Amino acid sequence: MTNKNKTVWSSRFKNSPSQSFQRIGASINVDKRLYEQDIFASKIHTQMLIKKKIIPAKEGKKIIKGLDKIKRQIKSGKFKFKEKFEDIHLNIEKKLYEIIGDSAGYMHTARSRNDQVVTDFKLWVKDSSLVLIKELNSLMKNLIIKADKNVGTVMPGFTHLKNAQPVSFAHYLLAYYEMLKRDKQRFYNNLELINESPLGAAALSGTSYNIDRNFTSRKLGFKKPTNNSIDTVSDRDFAIDFLYACAVCAMHLSRLAEDFIILNSDAYQLISFNDKMLTGSSIMPQKKNPDPAELIRGRTGINYGKLNSILTIMKGLPISYFKDLQDDKALVFDGYDTLKDTLLMSNELIKNVNPSKTRMSDMAKTGYTTATDFADYLVKDKKLSFREAYKISSKIVNYAEKNKKNLDELTLNEIKKFYKNLDNNVLKIFNVKHSMNSKNSYGGTSERNIKNMISKYKKELK
Ligand code: ARG
């Protein structure tokens, strides 16, 4: 076998790994996605080796030039990734030999693949968190645009999927804004914890070379080097945190999708989608199905799965590095790709949803949604206790139900059967818009509150 085709450890081995293990154990098809981070980190590592006079500057410079060339080759699609060399780290090192010859041998001084891979991976998770934060921002902006147009749109608010109290469609949409805002913060929180550079922990015990971990940490964009070399190479908390943040965000989007699927159903007909968000049936000519919303809901399962997998991989693993850890990347990449697509689809869904305003208002009037308002009126105006007022209001609901009337269809005389001391002023209490706008407590659904919140949101998103 020519030197070019040998593994870096071939001097110790009589035989190559089995064919099947070479295929199964190679991660190159997954971790080639780390090539930019790997080359970046190798260049910084090499600069440090030169600065600290650990390797001759002449060799170091050749390494850096060679790495730049490899980056160009990979970018232009000319680089041939080889399963034989297992992963991205060894593929690049082997290529470096091809380009600059034996000088390449100086690069892997004072490091191991164990600290190298966590460094690359952390850099990737940092970059990718920012991409997801950007997608979240765009979705939040579109929620605000849609909410802004629907501040005065009354719909039935539900608990237990039973009509509860009138709310604004804008208020309902902005509930999701708040969830996404927390999702964004979860990714930002992770960026704090991830911000320690692993490079220099080497295999597990650190190194006897006089390296400068503060230099590499700074140049790589980390806040400081990690404190314990053993923890450094065995820690994957940052990947778990990332997948957890993805899973929670996917869960929120799944709830939005599920809400929309229900509100769009023929039973509800409270919203509709533009054709862009619908597909037809191969047999039923009349059908328009909300497939994108269903995919958003379904793929949450994928995001949960990735989180569950990585937690399980970690749970019985002695410290420090084991090959088990290699699969962390496929999980994180899949989790990221899935959530990114889910965010894209959610964005389109929000842009293409239309509230059916008349139907919303009509439905808000059914189900006696202003019964609480009447009880509150008796408390505020007639100084009854809430429990007493509740009893009277429930009797009116029973009466309306028996006579097949909505509450706002009752006459003053009918209402007075249940409480005498009332005049025409009471009638507005049963009006759904009046009810909505009376919810003026901070965070409530009144139009005034919503408008204030929207202008606050607009400022914070800038
Ligand atoms: N491809 C490996 C991984 O992703 C890199 C680390 C290999 N280290 C080792 N000791 N085999 O986990």
Side-chain angles (χ1 to χ4, degrees):
M1 213 190 274
T2 63
N3 199 34
K4 216 173 97 183
N5 279 320
K6 281 185 181 162
T7 58
V8 293
W9 50 77
S10 60
S11 43
R12 167 94 172 100
F13 283 69
K14 288 200 185 77
N15 274 316
S16 306
S18 74
Q19 285 290 323
S20 52
F21 179 69
Q22 277 193 35
R23 180 182 61 78
I24 297 164
S27 58
I28 185 63
N29 281 328
V30 172
D31 61 27
K32 64 183 174 198
R33 214 165 152 171
L34 293 176
Y35 82 90
E36 282 193 272
Q37 289 79 9
D38 195 69
I39 289 173
F40 174 53
S42 286
K43 282 171 69 177
I44 303 291
H45 179 66
T46 308
Q47 282 175 20
M48 184 278 293
L49 295 175
I50 298 171
K51 184 175 88 80
K52 297 297 288 180
K53 300 194 170 39
I54 296 169
I55 63 169
K58 196 170 82 190
E59 308 293 359
K61 280 179 192 151
K62 276 194 224 163
I63 292 171
I64 290 173
K65 265 180 92 173
L67 287 170
D68 283 333
K69 190 163 177 193
I70 293 173
K71 185 166 157 183
R72 286 195 297 275
Q73 284 184 5
I74 299 179
K75 264 213 156 92
S76 63
K78 284 195 195 111
F79 192 99
K80 265 196 78 180
F81 295 101
K82 291 187 184 153
E83 231 173 42
K84 176 175 190 58
F85 300 136
E86 230 187 282
D87 58 22
I88 187 64
H89 324 294
L90 294 177
N91 266 269
I92 288 176
E93 187 173 328
K94 274 287 170 183
K95 179 59 81 180
L96 194 61
Y97 269 97
E98 261 180 50
I99 297 174
I100 66 169
D102 285 344
S103 302
Y106 286 92
M107 179 171 70
H108 208 58
T109 315
R111 75 169 185 190
S112 153
R113 271 190 302 163
N114 294 354
D115 58 342
Q116 191 180 353
V117 71
V118 205
T119 305
D120 297 358
F121 198 17
K122 275 190 170 184
L123 289 172
W124 189 93
V125 171
K126 278 171 76 167
D127 291 347
S128 304
S129 299
L130 293 176
V131 175
L132 293 178
I133 286 171
K134 217 172 124 204
E135 288 299 332
L136 277 164
N137 270 334
S138 142
L139 179 53
M140 288 160 82
K141 262 184 205 148
N142 281 315
L143 273 172
I144 290 178
I145 292 171
K146 192 61 76 174
D148 221 352
K149 291 188 185 127
N150 286 289
V151 176
T153 307
V154 197
M155 67 179 279
F158 306 99
T159 62
H160 311 266
L161 265 187
K162 298 285 285 178
N163 295 12
Q165 292 175 342
V167 296
S168 155
F169 184 53
H171 197 54
Y172 158 84
L173 289 175
L174 294 175
Y176 282 97
Y177 180 96
E178 287 288 334
M179 296 179 218
L180 298 174
K181 188 172 153 183
R182 291 194 293 273
D183 292 336
K184 214 168 91 175
Q185 193 56 46
R186 229 167 262 116
F187 284 110
Y188 275 126
N189 292 348
N190 295 347
L191 289 178
E192 286 291 309
L193 273 181
I194 201 175
N195 219 356
E196 295 184 350
S197 169
L199 199 59
L204 82 162
S205 63
T207 174
S208 59
Y209 294 98
N210 180 26
I211 60 173
D212 184 347
R213 292 194 65 201
N214 286 317
F215 173 87
T216 47
S217 169
R218 201 170 56 247
K219 290 271 180 178
L220 289 169
F222 290 103
K223 207 159 149 194
K224 63 185 272 299
T226 51
N227 289 324
N228 180 298
S229 59
I230 301 177
D231 172 53
T232 303
V233 295
S234 42
D235 166 42
R236 293 295 183 277
D237 290 0
F238 65 91
I240 294 169
D241 290 342
F242 179 79
L243 285 176
Y244 172 67
C246 289
V248 177
C249 180
M251 177 269 289
H252 288 148
L253 298 173
S254 175
R255 293 183 74 175
L256 175 69
E258 171 68 352
D259 266 352
F260 277 7
I261 290 165
I262 293 172
L263 299 183
N264 173 64
S265 69
D266 291 326
Y268 279 75
Q269 297 177 48
L270 291 183
I271 58 169
S272 62
F273 293 112
N274 298 336
D275 278 359
K276 275 187 193 170
M277 291 291 104
L278 300 165
T279 59
S281 153
S282 64
I283 174 170
M284 296 170 281
Q286 84 282 12
K287 288 280 271 183
K288 285 193 172 188
N289 299 326
D291 286 17
E294 291 167 16
L295 277 185
I296 291 168
R297 181 179 60 188
R299 287 191 179 166
T300 306
I302 297 180
N303 279 106
Y304 285 9
K306 305 297 162 185
L307 173 63
N308 206 359
S309 301
I310 197 163
L311 285 169
T312 310
I313 287 175
M314 297 306 291
K315 73 171 267 297
L317 207 63
I319 52 178
S320 54
Y321 180 84
F322 290 85
K323 191 73 166 177
D324 312 42
L325 292 171
Q326 180 165 279
D327 288 332
D328 57 0
K329 285 168 290 299
L331 297 174
V332 165
F333 294 162
D334 285 354
Y336 167 82
D337 290 339
T338 306
L339 183 63
K340 195 168 165 226
D341 281 348
T342 299
L343 282 163
L344 283 176
M345 278 192 290
S346 305
N347 230 322
E348 293 193 358
L349 207 61
I350 291 293
K351 282 193 221 160
N352 289 292
V353 68
N354 310 303
S356 314
K357 295 188 183 180
T358 313
R359 171 101 179 132
M360 278 186 168
S361 163
D362 287 347
M363 198 192 269
K365 289 175 195 165
T366 68
Y368 321 103
T369 54
T370 49
T372 320
D373 299 86
F374 181 65
D376 289 339
Y377 174 77
L378 293 180
V379 170
K380 285 186 276 187
D381 242 62
K382 311 297 173 190
K383 307 296 167 211
L384 300 192
S385 79
F386 182 74
R387 277 287 159 254
E388 180 64 20
Y390 179 106
K391 213 183 284 171
I392 296 169
S393 185
S394 63
K395 283 181 186 156
I396 293 185
V397 172
N398 286 340
Y399 173 86
E401 188 179 47
K402 206 165 142 201
N403 292 278
K404 299 194 170 28
K405 282 184 164 188
N406 288 332
L407 289 181
D408 68 345
E409 289 165 346
L410 297 175
T411 64
L412 179 62
N413 279 337
E414 284 175 307
I415 300 163
K416 280 173 89 168
K417 285 184 192 161
F418 301 91
Y419 191 81
K420 283 197 177 62
N421 181 17
L422 291 169
D423 56 36
N424 268 322
N425 273 330
V426 74
L427 295 176
K428 67 173 185 298
I429 299 301
F430 295 109
N431 176 285
V432 287
K433 192 110 178 199
H434 180 274
S435 160
M436 178 179 109
N437 282 326
S438 71
K439 304 295 173 61
N440 233 328
S441 57
Y442 184 78
T445 190
S446 75
E447 290 180 64
R448 208 181 71 198
N449 261 346
I450 299 170
K451 280 182 191 150
N452 281 339
M453 284 318 291
I454 289 179
S455 57
K456 216 167 129 179
Y457 290 151
K458 280 182 179 165
K459 270 184 220 133
E460 73 187 18
L461 265 190
K462 261 192 205 140

